[in-house]
Amino acid sequence: MKRIQPIILAAGASSRFGHCKLLLEHRGRTLLQHCVDTLAPLGLPAPLIVTGAWHRQLVDTHPQLDLRENRDWQSGMGGSLAFAIRQLPASCDAALVLLADQVAINSTDIRRLLECWTEYKTIVCSFYADRRGVPAVFPREYFPQLAKLNSDRGARDLLRSEQYAITEVPVPNGTIDIDTQQDWKAWRLCRGPQ
């Protein structure tokens, strides 16, 4: 069986939000735990979670999770992804990359990405708002490239390149993420009371 390692990027400072948005609670779970729980039905290894600006606070709240501190988190999302890729075991065939603040992503969305990867063995990415994005699955052959990222663009350039075989999966839920207090209020109104 192929080993797909989930990576959750959770290193940012939440500067637009004003404090650590991943510790926000809705229905008894933090946003970070919500993301982890989305993976639970899929039979994947425990996620490797890259932290940074709020590492200590996240560790205190989630001591049971595999939280890896990227001390160079200010290098941006690309740097955090590269940090994670460099820690993957040799037995890993692909990496599933997620953002902890994409709160609408669900297990069904991720299962569809995994099924496409099993069928095509290409890069498989979400498609929403007329563009490619994460969650995405990257086969091992792209790990060396991902391990060199160091900007805030993450894997965006790779996903938008025309020179690679990339399978797109429509994931409308990818459009929703929490960047500001207004985003959080709108999400809670949409989801109903805690």
Side-chain angles (χ1 to χ4, degrees):
M1 172 137 178
K2 299 291 187 182
R3 178 187 169 102
I4 304 174
Q5 176 61 54
I7 295 170
I8 298 175
L9 300 180
S14 304
S15 53
R16 289 173 62 193
F17 195 87
H19 56 87
C20 184
K21 60 188 176 184
L22 300 184
L23 292 177
L24 294 169
E25 287 198 15
H26 185 66
R27 296 181 179 169
R29 295 183 298 172
T30 65
L31 290 196
L32 179 56
Q33 188 65 55
H34 170 79
C35 185
V36 171
D37 291 349
T38 298
L39 297 168
L42 303 174
L44 298 170
L48 186 163
I49 303 166
V50 182
T51 62
W54 301 97
H55 176 72
R56 179 45 50 201
Q57 292 87 340
L58 291 170
V59 167
D60 288 345
T61 307
H62 306 93
Q64 78 286 7
L65 299 180
D66 182 8
L67 303 171
R68 313 274 183 102
E69 182 181 12
N70 175 20
R71 299 195 177 195
D72 190 29
W73 61 270
Q74 290 174 305
S75 65
M77 195 180 302
S80 288
L81 178 52
F83 171 82
I85 291 292
R86 291 193 296 266
Q87 298 185 58
L88 296 181
S91 60
C92 185
D93 297 294
L96 166 66
V97 179
L98 306 102
L99 302 180
D101 64 355
Q102 282 183 303
V103 292
I105 295 293
N106 58 46
S107 302
T108 300
D109 294 327
I110 297 171
R111 183 175 284 111
R112 289 171 59 221
L113 293 168
L114 297 175
E115 288 170 350
C116 278
W117 182 79
T118 299
E119 182 173 355
Y120 299 111
K121 296 297 189 292
T122 60
I123 295 173
V124 177
C125 70
S126 303
F127 188 81
Y128 47 87
D130 296 321
R131 60 186 170 84
R132 296 169 174 170
V134 294
V137 181
F138 296 93
R140 182 171 193 83
E141 65 193 270
Y142 295 96
F143 288 4
Q145 199 168 338
L146 295 172
K148 294 176 184 173
L149 295 174
N150 62 3
S151 72
D152 197 38
R153 295 170 66 85
R156 186 182 310 165
D157 291 341
L158 177 59
L159 290 178
R160 296 184 184 176
S161 171
E162 296 302 319
Q163 69 182 95
Y164 306 110
I166 299 177
T167 303
E168 298 172 355
V169 176
V171 181
N173 287 331
T175 60
I176 300 171
D177 62 8
I178 306 298
D179 283 328
T180 66
Q181 298 272 355
Q182 191 57 43
D183 293 338
W184 177 236
K185 288 175 185 172
W187 168 247
R188 293 178 72 192
L189 281 173
C190 151
R191 296 286 286 182
Q194 294 193 41

